[in-house]
Amino acid sequence: MGGAKEVEFTLYAPEARETFLGGEFNSWDPRTLPMKRDASGVWKTRLKLPAGRYQFKFLVDGAWHEGPLP
């Protein structure tokens, strides 16, 4: 494994009121990683992670989502 790199997570959800990121890197506690919405409706957050593969999901308005919203 190499050093930690900054990774940006994004989700297009313009109608969402709140969005969080949960995954192996934060013990699936989404409240530790709130996301911020930009003017175009894309929610974003950045964090440093060691090289590797991670499982994660987005918590959007109280419901878990694995990828793009329908």
Side-chain angles (χ1 to χ4, degrees), residues 1-7 9 24-25 47-55:
M1 278 199 185
K5 293 190 177 193
E6 190 168 75
V7 178
F9 292 85
E24 297 173 314
F25 38 78
L47 61 147
K48 285 196 175 201
L49 292 173
R53 295 175 64 104
Y54 299 91
Q55 291 185 7

Side-chain angles (χ1 to χ4, degrees), residues 20-61:
F20 299 88
L21 178 66
E24 297 173 314
F25 38 78
N26 68 346
S27 300
W28 294 98
D29 182 0
R31 300 295 169 177
T32 65
L33 290 173
M35 299 178 77
K36 293 188 180 196
R37 181 177 50 207
D38 68 14
S40 65
V42 177
W43 292 81
K44 300 177 182 182
T45 193
R46 292 176 161 261
L47 61 147
K48 285 196 175 201
L49 292 173
R53 295 175 64 104
Y54 299 91
Q55 291 185 7
F56 66 92
K57 292 182 183 180
F58 300 101
L59 184 64
V60 180
D61 295 337

